[in-house]
Amino acid sequence: MRHVAFVAVAVLVGVLAPAPAFAAPGVNCAEPGENEIVASWARSALRATTIGTVADGTGARVAILSTGVDAGQPQLRQRVFNGVDTVDGGLANQDCTGTGTQVAGVVAGRAGGGAADHSGADNSGADGGGAAGNSGAGNSGAGGGGVSDGGGDSGAGGLAPNSRILPIRVQLDDPAGSEPDPDAIAVGLNQAVSNGADVAVVVSPVYEDDPDLEAAVAAAIDQGVVVVAAVGDLGGADEGNPTPYPAAYRDVIGVGAIDQNGRIWPDSQRGDFVDLVAPGVAVPVLQTGRGFVEVSGTGVAAGFVGAAAALLHDRKPDLSARAVGRLLAGTAAPAPSGPAFGAGVVDPYAAITGQLAPAKDRALPAVEPAPLPDTTAEKQRRTYALVGALFAGILAVAVAVAAAAMRRSRRQQWRPAMASPPPARDEPLEPGPPVMLLDERIQPAEAGRR
């Protein structure tokens, strides 16, 4: 890929050495934001205050693949590494456009202005003076000096304020607008892995399926990096809703945007590449340089999900990247079904306090088979019922036949009665003279012989 060569040269000439703690935006960059934002509906919806009592992202390193991150933003100071510029070479701890800084703010921004950590700790760790070299990023750790809140909640603090940001520039830092290309994102993911990132947030998608990008995604996930990607802002009726990458790749957490009422942002893209949704409309965020602005887009929504993954790394560092994705999806708050919402609204508090069920099947506990019931009485009842039904049927047939006969007899005017007695004959009081039957028969014969 065309970006690999310059990255190697950059390491050789030492451009990845630690940079100053304050890296102000250049000329013609985005204007500073407002001095105050009263409240953030997104923080309220995600229960940011409650989350802070359980986890704060300590120990998590989040790579932001975008336009760079302003290391001098007061609420990010001491929490941004030097990073890597995969577009022009060099570092990525400046952000003229502001996009990367805004997303980094919802991850690690300090509420109340962010007091600097003067512990002097260098958080390069095993990375030496490379891309993760300290750009003023102290490591509060479990026993370090820490970074305390400098005041009340500004309304634009991050969900994981003790996490650390690894900026990786994958698109031109141009306020007029720019888009990344697949090669730059692929190199950026490789750099995230080599510099110890635990989470990688791809703020802007590409719309070209690229085998090198897919391979870089798979390698990052295999190395335990949770890859979170915005699904893109081309979901409007006239924008075609093209397939976004890397959100469409396997095991990447694709994130869409919702508004204050839980409705999908009209420009948030829709499809089976959406795994979760998060606040992404009129969200107060940190602006490059200083101050606060309100932004809308799936990129800032992806930042909230990246922050949730950082919180999980704080609480459950042994979870694999795929397990983190399953846990975030399984604990998501219910949302309307459909291709725009995925599994629902990310719920960081439910994720860090929940438990992931084992992926493998568990054998059911042994149980004794229930004894067969005694059906003797039931059989007797059935027999009696059958005999009774048969008898009733025969009786009904007999009654029907008799009724038919009666109807027929009435038609023929027949009535039942006793038979009449035989006629009586007069008998003589005395018997008559005997009749000589034999003599009468013989006399004719004798007369003939004579």
Side-chain angles (χ1 to χ4, degrees):
M1 292 183 288
R2 59 177 176 271
H3 298 284
V4 175
F6 86 76
V7 171
V9 173
V11 173
L12 290 176
V13 300
V15 297
L16 300 183
F22 185 87
V27 180
N28 298 324
C29 292
E31 294 292 329
E34 300 293 330
N35 292 329
E36 292 184 3
I37 287 182
V38 177
S40 169
W41 73 268
R43 284 176 55 84
S44 297
L46 299 177
R47 298 184 284 177
T49 302
T50 304
I51 290 171
T53 65
V54 181
D56 59 9
T58 296
R61 186 174 296 187
V62 182
I64 304 296
L65 279 68
S66 184
T67 56
V69 175
D70 180 11
Q73 219 288 345
Q75 290 182 241
L76 287 174
R77 206 175 296 172
Q78 307 296 329
R79 279 177 290 288
V80 180
F81 293 109
N82 290 329
V84 179
D85 184 342
T86 69
V87 179
D88 294 323
L91 309 181
N93 58 353
Q94 298 185 37
D95 182 17
C96 189
T97 304
T99 304
T101 302
Q102 294 161 5
V103 176
V106 304
V107 176
R110 279 288 182 183
D117 179 2
H118 300 290
S119 64
D122 182 76
N123 195 12
S124 59
D127 303 299
N134 189 355
S135 184
N139 186 2
S140 61
V147 181
S148 62
D149 287 348
D153 189 349
S154 70
L159 296 183
N162 259 4
S163 61
R164 296 295 180 265
I165 300 298
L166 175 66
I168 299 179
R169 185 174 292 126
V170 294
Q171 61 191 93
L172 289 173
D173 186 12
D174 184 358
S178 65
E179 295 180 356
D181 64 57
D183 286 349
I185 296 178
V187 173
L189 287 171
N190 293 334
Q191 287 294 321
V193 173
S194 63
N195 285 282
D198 304 298
V199 181
V201 179
V202 181
V203 177
S204 300
V206 294
Y207 297 98
E208 175 185 350
D209 186 3
D210 184 86
D212 291 334
L213 176 56
E214 185 175 13
V217 166
I221 293 172
D222 288 342
Q223 291 295 319
V225 179
V226 180
V227 180
V228 179
V231 299
D233 303 342
L234 299 181
D238 300 327
E239 295 176 305
N241 193 48
T243 301
Y245 299 95
Y249 290 136
R250 182 181 179 87
D251 297 322
V252 175
I253 304 174
V255 185
I258 57 171
D259 64 13
Q260 298 93 322
N261 299 311
R263 295 174 300 197
I264 201 70
W265 184 45
D267 289 336
S268 183
Q269 294 185 221
R270 298 155 173 80
D272 57 6
F273 42 77
V274 180
D275 298 294
L276 293 167
V277 292
V281 179
V283 176
V285 296
L286 304 182
Q287 175 65 311
T288 186
R290 67 180 185 274
F292 313 99
V293 292
E294 284 189 352
V295 299
S296 298
T298 59
V300 68
F304 282 118
V305 176
L311 293 168
L312 276 175
H313 182 79
D314 175 6
R315 293 286 295 176
K316 304 174 183 182
D318 295 332
L319 286 180
S320 68
R322 294 177 178 86
V324 169
R326 291 197 302 270
L327 185 53
L328 289 174
T331 56
S337 60
F341 288 90
V345 183
V346 66
D347 189 342
Y349 183 77
I352 61 179
T353 57
Q355 186 174 359
L356 187 66
K360 62 181 181 179
D361 296 333
R362 293 182 296 175
L364 293 174
V367 294
E368 293 293 332
L372 295 176
D374 184 4
T375 60
T376 304
E378 180 65 22
K379 288 181 179 179
Q380 290 178 346
R381 284 193 295 270
R382 291 182 180 178
T383 301
Y384 295 153
L386 181 61
V387 172
L390 181 61
F391 178 76
I394 294 173
L395 182 60
V397 171
V399 171
V401 170
M406 293 293 290
R407 287 193 298 271
R408 182 177 180 184
S409 67
R410 289 192 184 99
R411 288 195 299 267
Q412 296 178 354
Q413 296 184 349
W414 175 86
R415 294 291 184 275
M418 297 296 292
S420 60
R425 294 180 182 180
D426 294 334
E427 294 288 340
L429 296 177
E430 293 185 2
V435 178
M436 302 301 290
L437 297 179
L438 184 59
D439 291 344
E440 291 178 358
R441 291 178 182 176
I442 294 175
Q443 288 176 1
E446 290 180 351
R449 285 196 296 270
R450 291 176 183 174

